[in-house]
Amino acid sequence: MANHEVENKMEKLISLAKRRGFVFQGSEIYGGLSGVWDLGPLGSILNENIKKYWTKKFVEDREEMYKISASILMPEKVWEASGHTESFTDPLVEDVETKKRYRADHVLEDAGVETFNMSIEEMGEKIDELELKSPDGNALGKPKVFNLLMETYLGAVDGSKDKAYLRGEITQGVQVNFKNVLDSMRPKLPFGIGQIGKAFRNEIVPGQFLFRVREFEQMELQYYIAPTKEEGERWYEFWKAFSMEWYKGLGIKEENLRFRQHEKDEMAHYAKEAWDIEYKTPFGWKEAWGIHHRGDWDLRRHQEYSGTSMQYIDGEGNKITPHIIETSGGLGRAMLFTLLDNYVEDEVDGNIRTVLALPRHLAPVTVAVFPLLKNKPELVEKAREVFTALKKEFGNVMFDDNGNIGKRYRRQDEIGTPYCVTVDFDSLEGNDVTVRNRDTAEQERVKIEDLISKLS
Ligand code: GAP
């Protein structure tokens, strides 16, 4: 794709997202907060639909799964145990004039330098050697290690405040509750604990809309297995394939998804093995999802730091520390990639139209209902009846009587509504309506009494 097309697609999508109530810049009226986005009315529904789809596939459809909802605030000790206070870092480099901050690895990669294996000192030497400058053309300082965890202080009295962190990954909320789930639910291995919730990272350079942000939601499954090589291999492969199938269910084209294995030096400190599902964005192949073999890292470390046993007693009475296969993805990225992949411009009746070809289970509005004319009370009344019946059945149904029918169709196409139902004068006699399909733009006449089963 040529560069202008790339910018074009992202720009068009960002503009549509704002104009149609999907995503707004956080605290926009105060100039916006970098790396923070708010979901509008339609974005909230899309987000909920993605969560429902995740919960159904990863938790509800399976027998051995539990779901929890842990707190965002966790004490410093948790993050020392998990290794994040020490290892959850990025290399930061500063423009010496403007003091703007950049990722040293990104500065080098943009200059064609491979940064795997590079220490922070080596990055500094390479930046000096190549005389790399900031995007503003100024010299760059020495790279420093920067921790991404966001800290806060709990307690009212100065001096007696306890340091806590907003969780940098939702995972630790599950790990610290492993024993509680064992004791309360008595699961047998293998079993999983799923969670959806917010995570916070003080990203040095947030950007590309919802792609790299400082506050985001994650959907994660921690799958506990017997600590053997065979079980590890079996379940790793299983969750890798499962996660890819789930991602395709967002309506994303197969050719725009791929797996990529992490290099040894690239892996997170807790991982024994790591693969990403990547999506082909207009700005290159980017991580969408991560599947990690975490081994016994989390349970071993929490046992050590908390003094609480994190062991599981198997059928023969042996105490074991289970291994964990994790499958983890960001909701914002899932939403961004779904929107990008389903954004289509095509031609209908000689006019260019914009369509979000969202799969029906994700579309924020399932069906829209129109009276042909808004100044004919008999049409409005009949359309309202149809609307009420469909709303009861499908929930997210929209009524629109504004502008000509062609314009109303375009507005629904743009937000991905799969069906539009129009009540016209023939409806009054024949008790039937026109159902128009978003993807084909074809219309068919359907009896009102058959409408729900037809749309179902
Ligand atoms: N518990 C494992 C974990 O957090 P990760 O690869 O750091 O692993 C998992 O994050 C997923 O969370 C990523 O694949 C991505 O979808 C999402 N994610 C991570 N950082 C993000 C950020 N700054 N902005 C948006 N999404 C992010």
Side-chain angles (χ1 to χ4, degrees), residues 2 15-16 31 50-51 70 75 79 87 107 135 149 165 168 172 183 188 202 214 267 271 371 401 406 427:
S15 149
L16 185 151
I50 296 175
K51 287 193 211 179
W79 300 102
S87 307
V107 169
L149 285 176
Y165 290 98
Q172 297 311 319
D183 293 346
K188 297 265 169 290
N202 205 359
R214 291 180 170 139
M267 279 198 284
D401 59 6
S427 310

Short mmCIF file of all heavy atoms in Angstrom, two decimals, residues 2 15-16 31 50-51 70 75 79 87 107 135 149 165 168 172 183 188 202 214 267 271 371 401 406 427:
data_model
loop_
_atom_site.label_atom_id
_atom_site.label_comp_id
_atom_site.label_asym_id
_atom_site.label_seq_id
_atom_site.Cartn_x
_atom_site.Cartn_y
_atom_site.Cartn_z
N ALA A 2 0.57 2.20 -0.84
CA ALA A 2 1.37 3.43 -0.84
C ALA A 2 1.12 4.22 0.44
O ALA A 2 0.07 4.08 1.06
CB ALA A 2 0.96 4.27 -2.05
N SER A 15 -11.59 9.47 11.72
CA SER A 15 -12.63 10.47 11.52
C SER A 15 -14.02 9.82 11.66
O SER A 15 -14.90 10.35 12.35
CB SER A 15 -12.41 11.12 10.16
OG SER A 15 -13.61 11.51 9.60
N LEU A 16 -14.20 8.66 11.06
CA LEU A 16 -15.49 7.96 11.16
C LEU A 16 -15.77 7.60 12.64
O LEU A 16 -16.88 7.78 13.13
CB LEU A 16 -15.46 6.69 10.31
CG LEU A 16 -16.75 5.88 10.19
CD1 LEU A 16 -16.80 5.15 8.86
CD2 LEU A 16 -16.96 4.89 11.30
N GLY A 31 -8.05 19.60 25.68
CA GLY A 31 -6.89 19.44 24.82
C GLY A 31 -6.49 17.99 24.63
O GLY A 31 -5.55 17.69 23.90
N ILE A 50 -17.43 -7.52 21.63
CA ILE A 50 -16.17 -8.26 21.54
C ILE A 50 -15.94 -9.03 22.86
O ILE A 50 -15.55 -10.20 22.85
CB ILE A 50 -14.97 -7.32 21.24
CG1 ILE A 50 -15.14 -6.67 19.87
CG2 ILE A 50 -13.65 -8.09 21.31
CD1 ILE A 50 -14.09 -5.63 19.51
N LYS A 51 -16.25 -8.39 23.98
CA LYS A 51 -16.09 -9.07 25.27
C LYS A 51 -17.01 -10.29 25.38
O LYS A 51 -16.60 -11.34 25.87
CB LYS A 51 -16.44 -8.11 26.41
CG LYS A 51 -15.42 -7.04 26.67
CD LYS A 51 -15.76 -6.40 28.01
CE LYS A 51 -15.37 -4.97 28.06
NZ LYS A 51 -15.69 -4.33 29.32
N ALA A 70 -10.74 -9.14 39.16
CA ALA A 70 -9.88 -8.70 40.26
C ALA A 70 -9.70 -7.18 40.23
O ALA A 70 -10.07 -6.52 39.26
CB ALA A 70 -8.52 -9.40 40.15
N PRO A 75 -0.67 -3.97 45.65
CA PRO A 75 0.49 -3.43 46.37
C PRO A 75 1.81 -3.72 45.66
O PRO A 75 1.90 -4.62 44.83
CB PRO A 75 0.43 -4.15 47.72
CG PRO A 75 -0.37 -5.38 47.47
CD PRO A 75 -1.32 -5.07 46.36
N TRP A 79 4.10 -6.74 42.56
CA TRP A 79 4.85 -6.45 41.34
C TRP A 79 6.33 -6.78 41.50
O TRP A 79 7.02 -7.01 40.51
CB TRP A 79 4.60 -5.01 40.90
CG TRP A 79 3.12 -4.84 40.65
CD1 TRP A 79 2.22 -4.25 41.48
CD2 TRP A 79 2.38 -5.41 39.56
NE1 TRP A 79 0.95 -4.39 40.96
CE2 TRP A 79 1.02 -5.08 39.78
CE3 TRP A 79 2.71 -6.15 38.42
CZ2 TRP A 79 -0.01 -5.48 38.90
CZ3 TRP A 79 1.70 -6.54 37.55
CH2 TRP A 79 0.37 -6.21 37.79
N SER A 87 11.73 -5.75 35.74
CA SER A 87 11.92 -6.07 34.31
C SER A 87 10.91 -5.48 33.34
O SER A 87 11.03 -5.68 32.14
CB SER A 87 11.90 -7.59 34.13
OG SER A 87 12.81 -8.19 34.99
N VAL A 107 13.86 4.21 17.67
CA VAL A 107 14.74 5.15 16.94
C VAL A 107 15.72 4.34 16.10
O VAL A 107 15.95 4.62 14.90
CB VAL A 107 15.49 6.07 17.93
CG1 VAL A 107 16.59 6.86 17.22
CG2 VAL A 107 14.53 7.02 18.62
N PRO A 135 13.13 13.24 15.89
CA PRO A 135 12.34 13.69 14.74
C PRO A 135 12.39 15.21 14.56
O PRO A 135 12.16 15.72 13.47
CB PRO A 135 10.92 13.24 15.09
CG PRO A 135 11.12 12.08 16.01
CD PRO A 135 12.35 12.39 16.80
N LEU A 149 5.30 0.64 34.75
CA LEU A 149 4.23 0.54 35.76
C LEU A 149 3.80 1.94 36.21
O LEU A 149 4.64 2.82 36.40
CB LEU A 149 4.73 -0.23 36.98
CG LEU A 149 4.85 -1.74 36.85
CD1 LEU A 149 5.45 -2.32 38.13
CD2 LEU A 149 3.50 -2.39 36.54
N TYR A 165 0.42 0.04 42.74
CA TYR A 165 0.49 0.22 41.29
C TYR A 165 -0.87 -0.07 40.67
O TYR A 165 -1.61 -0.94 41.14
CB TYR A 165 1.51 -0.74 40.68
CG TYR A 165 2.94 -0.41 41.02
CD1 TYR A 165 3.60 -1.08 42.06
CD2 TYR A 165 3.65 0.55 40.31
CE1 TYR A 165 4.92 -0.78 42.37
CE2 TYR A 165 4.96 0.85 40.61
CZ TYR A 165 5.60 0.17 41.64
OH TYR A 165 6.90 0.48 41.93
N GLY A 168 -0.19 -3.50 35.65
CA GLY A 168 0.43 -3.36 34.32
C GLY A 168 0.01 -4.48 33.39
O GLY A 168 0.14 -4.37 32.17
N GLN A 172 -1.83 -10.63 37.01
CA GLN A 172 -1.46 -10.83 38.42
C GLN A 172 -2.69 -10.89 39.32
O GLN A 172 -2.65 -11.53 40.37
CB GLN A 172 -0.46 -9.76 38.87
CG GLN A 172 0.87 -9.83 38.13
CD GLN A 172 1.46 -11.25 38.08
OE1 GLN A 172 1.41 -12.00 39.07
NE2 GLN A 172 2.02 -11.62 36.94
N ASP A 183 -9.53 -23.24 46.38
CA ASP A 183 -10.25 -23.58 47.60
C ASP A 183 -11.76 -23.47 47.45
O ASP A 183 -12.51 -24.25 48.02
CB ASP A 183 -9.80 -22.68 48.77
CG ASP A 183 -8.34 -22.96 49.15
OD1 ASP A 183 -7.80 -24.00 48.70
OD2 ASP A 183 -7.74 -22.13 49.86
N LYS A 188 -10.10 -29.37 38.91
CA LYS A 188 -9.04 -30.36 38.63
C LYS A 188 -8.24 -29.85 37.43
O LYS A 188 -8.79 -29.27 36.51
CB LYS A 188 -9.67 -31.71 38.23
CG LYS A 188 -10.50 -32.34 39.33
CD LYS A 188 -9.67 -33.35 40.12
CE LYS A 188 -10.36 -33.83 41.38
NZ LYS A 188 -10.50 -32.87 42.47
N ASN A 202 2.70 3.02 31.34
CA ASN A 202 3.17 4.38 31.05
C ASN A 202 4.01 4.35 29.77
O ASN A 202 5.22 4.57 29.81
CB ASN A 202 3.97 4.89 32.24
CG ASN A 202 3.95 6.40 32.28
OD1 ASN A 202 3.35 7.04 31.40
ND2 ASN A 202 4.61 6.97 33.26
N ARG A 214 -2.12 4.15 26.95
CA ARG A 214 -1.64 4.02 28.34
C ARG A 214 -2.67 3.36 29.26
O ARG A 214 -2.32 2.88 30.32
CB ARG A 214 -1.24 5.40 28.87
CG ARG A 214 0.02 5.89 28.17
CD ARG A 214 0.47 7.25 28.66
NE ARG A 214 1.78 7.57 28.13
CZ ARG A 214 2.15 8.77 27.69
NH1 ARG A 214 1.28 9.78 27.71
NH2 ARG A 214 3.36 8.98 27.24
N MET A 267 11.60 -11.99 24.63
CA MET A 267 10.54 -12.53 25.46
C MET A 267 10.44 -11.81 26.79
O MET A 267 11.45 -11.41 27.37
CB MET A 267 10.80 -14.02 25.70
CG MET A 267 10.36 -14.86 24.54
SD MET A 267 10.16 -16.55 24.96
CE MET A 267 11.82 -17.11 25.06
N ALA A 271 8.31 -15.45 30.50
CA ALA A 271 7.94 -16.41 29.44
C ALA A 271 9.04 -17.42 29.14
O ALA A 271 10.22 -17.08 29.07
CB ALA A 271 7.57 -15.66 28.17
N PRO A 371 -39.52 4.65 8.81
CA PRO A 371 -40.76 4.91 8.06
C PRO A 371 -40.33 5.60 6.77
O PRO A 371 -39.41 6.43 6.80
CB PRO A 371 -41.53 5.87 8.97
CG PRO A 371 -40.49 6.54 9.81
CD PRO A 371 -39.27 5.65 9.86
N ASP A 401 -35.81 8.45 11.12
CA ASP A 401 -36.78 8.98 10.15
C ASP A 401 -36.23 10.25 9.50
O ASP A 401 -36.95 11.04 8.94
CB ASP A 401 -38.13 9.26 10.83
CG ASP A 401 -38.01 10.26 11.97
OD1 ASP A 401 -36.92 10.83 12.17
OD2 ASP A 401 -39.01 10.47 12.67
N GLY A 406 -32.14 6.83 0.92
CA GLY A 406 -30.76 6.57 0.47
C GLY A 406 -29.76 7.02 1.52
O GLY A 406 -28.82 6.30 1.85
N SER A 427 -46.87 -1.41 3.05
CA SER A 427 -46.85 -2.12 4.34
C SER A 427 -48.21 -2.02 5.03
O SER A 427 -48.63 -2.93 5.75
CB SER A 427 -45.80 -1.53 5.28
OG SER A 427 -44.56 -1.43 4.64
#
